[in-house]
């Protein structure tokens, strides 16, 4: 089963951006993702990019490049993505230092997590926190 070993996540949120290159810059520089791969079209649009954080990944592409996925997301609104991080405060400090819009500073939650909320360059909401679901094998 995908995501159950071998370094492959079982779920990868996929987001399309008007300016995918700016989103990749913000996610890597400001929010600590690592660029795994980026494929560009001849016109410079991002066809497909994979960014990783811990054992998870997100796939990024450019809006307006055509194809069924682009058409399906044409009228989609912002998305929300939750990412597990070990040190919420350090992660938050990095985001602030890179000018990321913070919606909620690091906060201790009743259920034991510490997390914060940020908005990316195109309105998607990113939550970074210590809570991680316990997934049985």
């Amino acid at each position: 089963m995908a995501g159950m070993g071998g370094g492959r996540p079982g779920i990868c949120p996929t987001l399309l951006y008007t300016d995918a290159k700016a989103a990749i810059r913000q996610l890597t520089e400001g929010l600590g993702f690592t660029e795994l791969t980026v494929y560009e079209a001849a016109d410079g649009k991002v066809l497909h990019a994979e960014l990783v954080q811990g054992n998870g990944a997100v796939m990024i592409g450019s809006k307006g490049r055509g194809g069924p996925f682009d058409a399906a997301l044409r009228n989609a609104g912002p998305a929300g993505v939750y990412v597990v991080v070990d040190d919420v405060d350090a992660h938050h400090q990095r985001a602030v230092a890179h000018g990321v819009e913070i919606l909620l500073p690091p906060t201790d939650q009743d259920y034991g997590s510490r997390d914060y909320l940020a908005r990316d360059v195109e309105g998607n909401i990113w939550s970074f926190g210590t809570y991680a679901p316990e997934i049985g094998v």
Side-chain angles (χ1 to χ4, degrees):
M1 177 185 291
M4 301 306 287
R8 304 182 99 171
I11 298 174
C12 296
T14 304
L15 303 168
L16 296 182
Y17 290 88
T18 302
D19 187 345
K21 289 181 180 179
I24 291 168
R25 254 189 325 278
Q26 184 185 50
L27 290 168
T28 56
E29 294 173 10
L31 295 173
F33 283 79
T34 300
E35 186 179 295
L36 185 61
T37 188
V38 176
Y39 299 100
E40 294 181 15
D43 64 2
K45 286 188 178 180
V46 176
L47 296 173
H48 177 81
E50 297 170 4
L51 308 179
V52 297
Q53 172 88 242
N55 64 352
V58 62
M59 292 186 263
I60 305 274
S62 294
K63 288 182 179 178
R65 63 189 160 102
F69 194 75
D70 184 46
L73 288 178
R74 182 174 299 125
N75 295 318
V81 181
Y82 182 85
V83 180
V84 178
V85 295
D86 291 327
D87 188 338
V88 171
D89 295 288
H91 196 275
H92 171 260
Q93 288 172 357
R94 176 184 183 151
V96 168
H98 283 86
V100 175
E101 180 184 358
I102 304 300
L103 301 176
L104 178 71
T107 304
D108 292 325
Q109 303 297 333
D110 293 340
Y111 50 88
S113 182
R114 182 164 179 78
D115 51 40
Y116 78 96
L117 291 175
R119 184 185 330 265
D120 74 18
V121 293
E122 293 194 18
N124 297 296
I125 305 303
W126 293 82
S127 304
F128 296 90
T130 58
Y131 174 76
E134 194 67 40
I135 300 172
V137 180

